Amino acid sequence: MLADEVQKLLHTRFGKLKSDVRKAVGLAILATLVGIGGTIFIFRSSLSQLLSNQTSEVAAKTLEDEVVLKKAEELSKVVLAKVLDDRGTMAMSQDFINRLAQSDTSKKLLQQVLNDPANQAVINAFAQQVAWRVLVD
């Protein structure tokens, strides 16, 4: 009988303690959220300024990258034009192509490529397109 009363008393106390702990945890979470919200509210203009500065920096870097890419493309076109206009480079290129065309290995490879049925189909289709465009123009 005494054991039953002690058990009821302990159950009641632990139940109340459990309820109190839940309330305390709930209040702590609520207080934390309110604190974070208040901090954001207080520093909202600073945060807004920081975010806008970072966004503008990213945009500026992106534009700089595009400018660099355009300049690199222009430079490569100029270099290519200079190389193609260079007589020495043209002479070396012609010599290379002549030696390549006279090579037995190149001739065999070219024959294999031209005799392949799949390549013949592609070559025929291309020749037909070229002929059709010549006739249309």
Side-chain angles (χ1 to χ4, degrees):
M1 187 164 235
L2 182 60
D4 289 337
E5 287 182 28
V6 169
Q7 189 176 9
K8 283 182 185 179
L9 182 64
L10 287 175
H11 183 67
T12 304
R13 298 277 178 163
F14 281 124
K16 185 172 178 4
L17 180 63
K18 198 181 203 182
S19 175
D20 289 345
V21 167
R22 284 186 182 157
K23 286 179 185 176
V25 168
L27 287 174
I29 290 173
L30 182 62
T32 302
L33 291 175
V34 167
I36 291 171
T39 302
I40 290 173
F41 181 77
I42 290 170
F43 295 108
R44 70 184 181 276
S45 62
S46 299
L47 286 172
S48 175
Q49 184 67 29
L50 176 68
L51 292 175
S52 66
N53 286 343
Q54 288 180 347
T55 303
S56 66
E57 286 177 19
V58 169
K61 287 180 182 178
T62 302
L63 289 175
E64 286 175 4
D65 289 346
E66 289 177 11
V67 169
V68 168
L69 286 174
K70 286 181 183 178
K71 289 190 184 243
E73 184 180 347
E74 290 173 11
L75 178 63
S76 64
K77 286 179 182 178
V78 169
V79 169
L80 183 61
K82 293 288 184 184
V83 167
L84 291 176
D85 288 341
D86 184 36
R87 291 179 190 232
T89 304
M90 290 299 290
M92 288 176 20
S93 299
Q94 289 172 347
D95 183 49
F96 173 74
I97 291 171
N98 287 335
R99 282 188 284 136
L100 188 63
Q102 293 172 359
S103 167
D104 289 336
T105 307
S106 298
K107 289 178 184 177
K108 288 178 186 176
L109 181 62
L110 183 59
Q111 286 175 350
Q112 288 176 352
V113 168
L114 292 176
N115 290 334
D116 182 31
N119 289 337
Q120 285 179 351
V122 171
I123 292 169
N124 286 337
F126 179 70
Q128 287 174 358
Q129 287 179 355
V130 170
W132 178 253
R133 288 186 182 170
V134 167
L135 291 174
V136 170
D137 289 341

